[in-house]
Amino acid sequence: MYKYIHLVLLLVCIMVMYPFHATLAQNKRNDLHLKNGISKPNTLATHPFGILFYTLPHNFKSRPDNATLFDIHLSSGNIWGQAVDVFVPSLAADQARMEALSFYSRNSRFNALESPSEYYFFQYDGVIKDFRLSLSIPLNERNELKVSARSFLLTTGRFPFSTITGDQFIEFFHSNVAGGEDPFGRRALGMDQAQIQYIDRHGNSFNLTEGSFIFSGIETAFYTYSNLLAKQHIILNFGAHAGLNLSSINTSLDLGASVGGIKNFSPNRKGQFLVGMGLNILRKRAVGLNSNQVDLGTSSYFGSFEGHLEYSKQTPKGAYHSFGLNYRIQTPYNNKKEEGHYVPSSPDRIARWHEAARHLYKFPSYWSLIYSFTKKTEISVYLQQDMLVNNAPDIQLGANLKIPFSF
C-alpha cells in the first residue's frame, strides 16, 4: 500500500496547484514585493540519522511573509552503505597503535576479544522519501513563527516511483557516463533493496525495512529580522529552534539557534543577484524522553554553514524566475577524535565497504541546484549531490510548493 502514497501526494499537489495557477494569471503587477529574499526550498539531506532528529535549516528570507504561508515538501534521496562492524579501542595504548597503522591494516592488527573496545554496527540501503508540512505565521513586521511536521518512508526506489534516485539509473550512469562499473558494490550485493539497521555502543538498535513509515517529529522556529544594515542592502535574521522527536527510535527534545543574512547586489533591477550565508548550532537530545535512546552518533552538538547564490529575473507580468546554487557543510555525527583509531570490519570488503562508518567522522557536505517560480505561490525544484561521495544520500531530488492564505 505504501507505493500509492506517491500517487496520492501527486494528486493532492495537482488539485492544490491548479486553482492557484489560474489565480496567478489574473494578478496585477503591483504584487512585486511577494519575492521575499532568496527562494530556498527545504534542501536538507535524507541522511539515515539526520531524518530522525531536528536538523536545522537556514533562513534566507528578508522579512516575515505578507500572509500565513503553507509549505508542502517532498524529497527523494538514495542511500547506500554496506554492513560494517566497528570497534573503537578503549585503551590509550591500543588507540596509539591503531593510529600508527594505515587505515586498511587496522582490522588485521586488532583483536576485539583480547583488547577492550566499544562496538557499533551500521548499514543502510534504499530510497528515502521525505515528507514535510510547514506553516509560517507572520507575527508582525519583524517576527514570525514557523511550525513544521516531518516524516519519511523507506522504499526500494523502483521505477516509476523513483527515476534518477533509483539504483538502476545510478548504476547505469556509473557504467556509461562516469564512475566505472559498480564502484560501490551495489550490483554485487543486490540492487533495489531497502533496509536501515543500526546497533549503538550500548546495544540499543533499530531496523527499518521496505515500507517503513516514520512520523519523526514536530519543529518550531521563531525568527526575528533586523534592518540594521539595510542601507548596505543586507538583511539579517536570528532564529530560536525547538524540535520534538516523536518516533519510537528517538523520543527527545532538540534545541538550537541560528543566524542568517542576505545581501542584494542589484536591488533596483529586474534581474537581481543575491548572496546568502548562515550559521546554526543544535543541541541534540537536550532533553531525553526515553532511557533506552539509540544514540544516533556520539556528537551531542551539531553546527552547520550554508552559502547560497541566486539570480532572479522578473517577468513583464510581475513573476520571478530564480536560479540558485546552495552549499551546506555540517559537523560530523561521531566524535572526530576517534577517526584516527576506529577499526571497521566486514567479511565481504567489496568496493568501498567501509563508507557506512567512515562518513560518520567526516564533515558531510553537498551542493544543491535550485529553480523557483514565484508570484503569489512559489514552486521550487532542486537536484542535490553529496561532495564526499558517501552515498548518504548519493543523489537527491526535491520539490516545494508554498501557498499563502489567510484564516
Side-chain angles (χ1 to χ4, degrees), residues 223-235:
Y223 292 108
T224 184
Y225 295 82
S226 170
N227 294 323
L228 183 64
L229 301 176
K231 291 184 178 180
Q232 289 76 38
H233 306 293
I234 297 174
I235 302 296

Side-chain angles (χ1 to χ4, degrees), residues 150-180:
R150 50 182 156 84
S151 60
F152 68 90
L153 174 71
L154 180 62
T155 76
T156 59
R158 292 189 178 94
F159 184 84
F161 303 107
S162 298
T163 51
I164 69 171
T165 57
D167 288 351
Q168 298 291 339
F169 179 85
I170 290 174
E171 290 311 318
F172 172 83
F173 182 88
H174 286 157
S175 299
N176 296 279
V177 182

Side-chain angles (χ1 to χ4, degrees), residues 79 120 309:
I79 58 172
Y120 67 92
L309 304 177

Side-chain angles (χ1 to χ4, degrees), residues 43-321:
T43 57
L44 295 174
T46 53
H47 187 277
F49 282 173
I51 55 177
L52 290 166
F53 61 85
Y54 187 15
T55 305
L56 293 187
H58 291 267
N59 179 17
F60 295 138
K61 297 197 300 187
S62 59
R63 52 176 169 76
D65 293 294
N66 293 338
T68 298
L69 197 68
F70 184 55
D71 187 329
I72 304 171
H73 167 82
L74 169 64
S75 62
S76 176
N78 186 293
I79 58 172
W80 169 250
Q82 298 181 37
V84 60
D85 299 287
V86 183
F87 302 93
V88 183
S90 301
L91 299 180
D94 288 328
Q95 294 174 5
R97 187 163 58 87
M98 292 299 105
E99 290 173 359
L101 299 173
S102 64
F103 178 80
Y104 293 103
S105 300
R106 295 177 194 173
N107 184 45
S108 61
R109 303 290 295 275
F110 182 80
N111 189 336
L113 298 177
E114 297 178 356
S115 301
S117 63
E118 294 181 327
Y119 165 84
Y120 67 92
F121 170 88
F122 198 20
Q123 69 169 333
Y124 46 87
D125 184 13
V127 174
I128 294 176
K129 306 292 187 179
D130 186 30
F131 311 115
R132 296 174 186 254
L133 299 175
S134 301
L135 201 64
S136 297
I137 306 170
L139 303 177
N140 51 44
E141 292 182 355
R142 294 183 55 185
N143 303 305
E144 72 174 344
L145 178 67
K146 185 173 183 178
V147 182
S148 307
R150 50 182 156 84
S151 60
F152 68 90
L153 174 71
L154 180 62
T155 76
T156 59
R158 292 189 178 94
F159 184 84
F161 303 107
S162 298
T163 51
I164 69 171
T165 57
D167 288 351
Q168 298 291 339
F169 179 85
I170 290 174
E171 290 311 318
F172 172 83
F173 182 88
H174 286 157
S175 299
N176 296 279
V177 182
E181 189 66 25
D182 201 19
F184 299 101
R186 280 190 181 95
R187 292 188 186 276
L189 295 174
M191 296 197 295
D192 299 330
Q193 300 181 40
Q195 184 177 23
I196 303 174
Q197 187 176 9
Y198 178 63
I199 303 173
D200 72 12
R201 305 173 194 221
H202 307 290
N204 301 314
S205 64
F206 69 87
N207 184 30
L208 303 179
T209 56
E210 178 185 0
S212 295
F213 179 82
I214 303 293
F215 179 77
S216 56
I218 298 173
E219 306 165 355
T220 60
F222 173 80
Y223 292 108
T224 184
Y225 295 82
S226 170
N227 294 323
L228 183 64
L229 301 176
K231 291 184 178 180
Q232 289 76 38
H233 306 293
I234 297 174
I235 302 296
L236 301 176
N237 70 80
F238 303 89
H241 304 260
L244 182 61
N245 305 302
L246 297 173
S247 71
S248 59
I249 300 170
N250 181 19
T251 310
S252 62
L253 177 67
D254 302 330
L255 298 175
S258 66
V259 57
I262 62 170
K263 178 174 175 60
N264 192 334
F265 286 89
S266 48
N268 299 317
R269 299 179 182 177
K270 291 184 177 181
Q272 298 189 358
F273 179 67
L274 298 94
V275 175
M277 293 185 182
L279 292 168
N280 64 38
I281 186 169
L282 173 78
R283 174 59 166 94
K284 185 183 72 175
R285 204 191 179 201
V287 180
L289 304 175
N290 185 345
S291 58
N292 295 320
Q293 175 69 64
V294 180
D295 67 18
L296 300 178
T298 57
S299 296
S300 297
Y301 290 90
F302 288 90
S304 71
F305 165 82
E306 270 192 26
H308 197 112
L309 304 177
E310 181 188 89
Y311 176 77
S312 61
K313 181 69 175 180
Q314 180 187 336
T315 70
K317 294 185 178 182
Y320 284 88
H321 295 284

Side-chain angles (χ1 to χ4, degrees), residues 27-45:
N27 287 334
K28 296 181 179 180
R29 192 181 174 108
N30 59 7
D31 281 325
L32 301 183
H33 296 294
L34 291 174
K35 180 76 168 75
N36 187 358
I38 289 175
S39 297
K40 178 181 174 293
N42 187 319
T43 57
L44 295 174

